[in-house]
Amino acid sequence: MRQVAFILLTLIICSCKQKQALFIEKIAATTGINFTNQIIENDSLNFFSYQYIFNGAGVAVGDIDNDGWEDIFFVSNKQGGNKLYKNKGAFTFTDITNAAGVEGKSEWSTGVTMVDINADGWLDIYVSTVTIPRLLQSHNELYINNRN
């Protein structure tokens, strides 16, 4: 009987090892990514005037400069602005939004995709936007990659 109890106790202790986490949290201070899709409601733009206000925006991942590292483009529901981050490797990024000229002109971005639209071997960026009658007037935006 003691042997059975010892074996059971050993099995219980051995099976209680902590499992390794599936994900590791990375903070903005080390990654360089500081993006928030902040929604601020007001009298004219709120859940009652636009029921999809909290549906979010979008993100696209692709190697825009063909350096072998996946870069990240976030679109915002325009209260915070779109952001393009160049991947420098080792989970570190640099905000190149202004230099790339992709901050956006539309009032409300809803999605984004990276695609080589002109088949030149370089990813281009297409931003989808929304028009809300009497509130927002937007037009989809296509950014052709100039390889620089």
Side-chain angles (χ1 to χ4, degrees):
M1 186 68 167
R2 285 184 182 170
Q3 289 177 333
V4 172
F6 177 75
I7 292 172
L8 286 174
L9 184 60
T10 303
L11 287 172
I12 291 171
I13 291 172
C14 290
S15 66
C16 290
K17 292 181 181 176
Q18 279 191 328
K19 294 182 180 180
Q20 187 175 2
L22 294 176
F23 296 94
I24 299 170
E25 181 180 3
K26 299 288 186 177
I27 60 173
T30 51
T31 63
I33 295 177
N34 188 14
F35 174 83
T36 303
N37 184 32
Q38 185 175 3
I39 306 296
I40 301 170
E41 294 182 272
N42 57 41
D43 290 342
S44 61
L45 185 61
N46 52 60
F47 179 78
F48 297 106
S49 64
Y50 183 57
Q51 66 184 357
Y52 304 111
I53 191 170
F54 295 110
N55 279 9
V59 62
V61 177
D63 185 5
I64 59 154
D65 53 1
N66 290 343
D67 65 355
W69 296 101
E70 300 293 322
D71 308 299
I72 304 175
F73 189 85
F74 294 98
V75 294
S76 171
N77 294 131
K78 219 41 176 171
Q79 294 172 320
N82 301 333
K83 294 285 184 181
L84 176 60
Y85 291 94
K86 178 180 172 17
N87 189 339
K88 300 186 302 183
F91 293 102
T92 58
F93 296 82
T94 300
D95 182 350
I96 61 167
T97 308
N98 292 334
V102 294
E103 53 278 342
K105 293 179 176 53
S106 295
E107 294 178 351
W108 199 269
S109 299
T110 58
V112 61
T113 190
M114 290 185 185
V115 60
D116 183 8
I117 197 79
N118 55 357
D120 66 353
W122 294 78
L123 287 178
D124 308 299
I125 300 172
Y126 187 79
V127 178
S128 300
T129 66
V130 66
T131 294
I132 305 170
R134 298 182 318 273
L135 295 176
L136 301 173
Q137 299 300 314
S138 296
H139 301 282
N140 292 351
E141 299 171 359
L142 174 62
Y143 299 100
I144 302 293
N145 192 330
N146 290 326
R147 304 177 190 178
N148 60 356

